Amino acid sequence: MSEKLFSPYQFKGLQLNNRVVMAPMCQYSVTAKDGIPNDWHQVHYVSRAVGGTGLIVIEMTDVEPDGRITDNDLGIWSDEHIPAFAKLVDGMHAHGSKVAIQIAHAGRKAEDAEQPVAPSVVTFPGEDFREPRALTTEEVEAMVQKFADGVRRAVQAGVDAIELHGAHGYLIHQFHSKLMNHREDVYGQDLARFGVEIIHAVKKEMPEDMPLIMRISAIEYADGGYDIEHTLEMARAYQAAGVDIFHISSGGEGPAGQRKPGNYPGYQVPFARRFREELNVPVIAVGLLDDAALAQAVIGNGDADLVAVGRGMLRDPYWANHAALELGVSKDKAAIAEQYTRGY
């Protein structure tokens, strides 16, 4: 069992040295507010590659300026963004990590947009959020193309996989949620349609052997929110359209009501297992999986194929190396950089 978390993993053309994933986490560090990665991102991401992470998912990267959570977020709405992302990807590749990028739009959760856009005029609760404007049918169709253009640029920058952000109350999630989508057009009649159209569009921009990942909230916590049966229905449509791997999280659509997130280590793992078993699809588990033994158990028990670590990697860029040693993996297999071996 000691090799499970640190055994290789392959899906289509993606070959990973281990099953440790760095979860996408916004850094809010684009000080120039142009969406372009800078020195902070270079150090932040490449250090996790040096630390032995199998797959690094670049944080939420948005398809238009007003699709950012804040103006300090990454974006990929212009070809001018490609060189900086290529440099970032090359840096991670140089140290053995593979790279995915999370392509997204914040929708009604765009805090710095003068007027956010959304499926319907439903404001996110809280003082930091403005009332959104409902996208017209034509604008929704144009938004699909913006996702495709963003993916094209990411592929040109050299990423190994694409992740669509369909979780945490952002735009794709907003469309497949009855809480946020009150439309009467085709995008309201079929809640999965927006996501399906994006999947079809982005797959045309991706090499055939490149996996498409989708992050999805398995359940909503706000009163009246959907349960996992609804999400599985959406996921079946997304899988049929071309999603290869699901990254299973939960919530983010608004403040929790009577149903509360567990917020204990592994609280989302049962959701990941349910997706894996019912859809027969590879899944990434995430949610307070910072303990190496717990992450090992998630893989060893067959709950998930990959484990995403977030806060643990914020604290320790070398989380993967340290977890490997803790689990008894030999130093030569733990991917410790030669320059650091004297420290071990």
Side-chain angles (χ1 to χ4, degrees):
M1 183 175 172
S2 64
E3 296 294 319
K4 290 290 184 180
L5 185 62
F6 289 91
S7 60
Y9 181 77
Q10 179 174 354
F11 187 87
K12 289 189 168 181
L14 180 66
Q15 297 184 14
L16 306 179
N17 294 329
N18 58 57
R19 295 161 186 258
V20 178
V21 178
M22 178 180 172
M25 295 172 286
C26 288
Q27 297 296 292
Y28 306 109
S29 296
V30 184
T31 52
K33 300 186 178 182
D34 55 8
I36 297 175
N38 56 31
D39 287 348
W40 173 265
H41 301 92
Q42 197 74 24
V43 172
H44 173 67
Y45 286 107
V46 175
S47 63
R48 272 72 186 174
V50 173
T53 308
L55 176 65
I56 296 173
V57 186
I58 296 173
E59 67 199 78
M60 181 172 171
T61 302
D62 299 290
V63 299
E64 65 176 5
D66 281 348
R68 294 173 290 177
I69 302 171
T70 77
D71 288 346
N72 298 109
D73 294 345
L74 292 177
I76 198 160
W77 59 80
S78 165
D79 288 356
E80 294 178 2
H81 292 83
I82 296 172
F85 277 106
K87 178 182 177 183
L88 186 60
V89 172
D90 287 346
M92 288 181 271
H93 281 165
H95 297 284
S97 291
K98 296 300 173 67
V99 183
I101 185 170
Q102 189 182 72
I103 303 296
H105 190 293
R108 71 176 190 158
K109 293 181 77 174
E111 297 176 25
D112 288 344
E114 186 173 343
Q115 183 172 38
V117 296
S120 303
V121 183
V122 183
T123 307
F124 191 88
E127 296 180 356
D128 294 333
F129 300 94
R130 299 179 176 92
E131 181 179 274
R133 176 180 63 81
L135 291 161
T136 66
T137 302
E138 293 74 19
E139 286 174 328
V140 177
E141 294 169 350
M143 187 68 72
V144 171
Q145 185 58 47
K146 290 178 182 180
F147 272 83
D149 291 341
V151 168
R152 172 182 57 79
R153 296 179 184 115
V155 170
Q156 286 183 256
V159 301
D160 305 289
I162 299 293
E163 179 172 289
L164 295 175
H165 202 343
H168 301 165
Y170 299 116
L171 193 61
I172 296 175
H173 181 174
Q174 289 166 30
F175 268 88
H176 69 227
S177 170
K178 295 178 182 178
L179 284 178
M180 297 173 275
N181 184 348
H182 303 163
R183 301 176 70 91
E184 296 181 355
D185 66 357
V186 292
Y187 295 101
Q189 295 161 11
D190 177 1
L191 297 181
R193 181 171 180 137
F194 180 60
V196 165
E197 289 188 357
I198 288 173
I199 293 161
H200 285 154
V202 304
K203 292 288 278 192
K204 293 177 182 177
E205 303 294 341
M206 297 168 58
E208 287 188 11
D209 66 344
M210 179 181 287
L212 177 62
I213 306 166
M214 177 178 272
R215 201 174 213 197
I216 197 164
S217 287
I219 64 172
E220 293 179 329
Y221 297 106
D223 289 337
Y226 63 63
D227 60 17
I228 196 168
E229 301 300 336
H230 175 78
T231 327
L232 286 166
E233 180 184 351
M234 297 296 102
R236 288 186 183 97
Y238 296 152
Q239 183 182 20
V243 170
D244 298 299
I245 300 171
F246 284 99
H247 189 171
I248 310 301
S249 189
S250 63
E253 74 290 338
Q258 289 187 328
R259 179 162 58 184
K260 301 288 195 297
N263 289 333
Y264 51 80
Y267 74 101
Q268 295 179 145
V269 171
F271 303 145
R273 187 180 186 100
R274 181 87 182 271
F275 268 73
R276 191 172 191 258
E277 291 179 343
E278 294 214 12
L279 302 184
N280 191 29
V281 64
V283 299
I284 304 171
V286 68
L288 301 179
L289 300 177
D290 301 341
D291 180 80
L294 175 58
Q296 176 87 303
V298 169
I299 300 298
N301 292 336
D303 296 316
D305 301 270
L306 302 165
V307 170
V309 177
R311 293 171 178 84
M313 286 208 188
L314 292 181
R315 294 189 296 268
D316 181 3
Y318 313 107
W319 186 95
N321 283 341
H322 297 156
L325 296 176
E326 183 179 334
L327 293 170
V329 177
S330 61
K331 291 181 182 179
D332 61 322
K333 292 184 179 180
I336 297 170
E338 182 179 354
Q339 297 92 328
Y340 291 167
T341 53
R342 285 182 297 173
Y344 296 90

